[in-house]
């Protein structure tokens, strides 16, 4: 399934996808506690909690690094990170990322 189709499917069921929601979903799919996931990512549990709750935004670089460490889609992680920034800025825009060849 393409990233575009996956994003649309998830948004239909869950509303707008955020990086924090993406990370929380990945953590629960892997059946990891916040403590275990924080250790995997080499961040504090409180930082992980803030990211998952949307209280802390992550940079594009950190989103890609987290996705890679967790074996997740870097494309979707970066897309979510950029979309979070657009939402925070109050811009009614959307972005679609694709891997370049």
């Amino acid at each position: 399934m393409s990233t575009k189709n996956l994003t649309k499917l998830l948004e239909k069921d869950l509303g707008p996808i955020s990086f924090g929601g993406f990370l929380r979903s990945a953590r629960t799919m892997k059946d990891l506690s916040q403590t275990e996931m924080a250790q995997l990512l080499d961040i504090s549990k409180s930082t992980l909690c803030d990211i998952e709750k949307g209280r802390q935004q992550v940079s594009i670089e950190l989103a890609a690094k987290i996705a890679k460490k967790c074996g997740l889609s870097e494309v979707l992680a970066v897309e979510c990170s950029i979309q979070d920034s657009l939402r925070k800025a109050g811009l009614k825009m959307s972005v679609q990322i694709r891997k370049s060849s």
Side-chain angles (χ1 to χ4, degrees):
M1 177 179 290
S2 73
T3 301
K4 180 180 177 182
N5 291 338
L6 177 59
T7 302
K8 284 185 178 184
L9 180 67
L10 291 172
E11 286 181 344
K12 182 180 175 189
D13 291 339
L14 306 172
I17 303 299
S18 67
F19 181 78
F22 169 72
L23 187 57
R24 183 177 48 251
S25 295
R27 178 178 60 78
T28 55
M29 283 185 348
K30 291 179 177 284
D31 200 28
L32 296 173
S33 68
Q34 280 189 331
T35 302
E36 293 167 328
M37 181 66 114
Q39 288 172 347
L40 173 70
L41 299 174
D42 199 27
I43 60 175
S44 71
K45 180 183 170 195
S46 62
T47 297
L48 176 62
C49 183
D50 286 344
I51 292 170
E52 286 186 356
K53 299 253 185 210
R55 294 186 294 251
Q56 181 172 329
Q57 282 190 263
V58 298
S59 67
I60 295 167
E61 296 86 359
L62 183 56
K65 181 181 173 183
I66 287 172
K68 193 171 186 176
K69 266 189 166 179
C70 294
L72 304 170
S73 167
E74 289 179 74
V75 171
L76 188 53
V78 168
E79 190 173 294
C80 288
S81 176
I82 294 170
Q83 199 62 54
D84 286 350
S85 295
L86 291 170
R87 257 190 238 98
K88 185 177 180 184
L91 300 172
K92 294 189 184 271
M93 298 177 183
S94 65
V95 64
Q96 180 184 347
I97 303 294
R98 60 183 163 87
K99 212 164 190 125
S100 62
S101 50

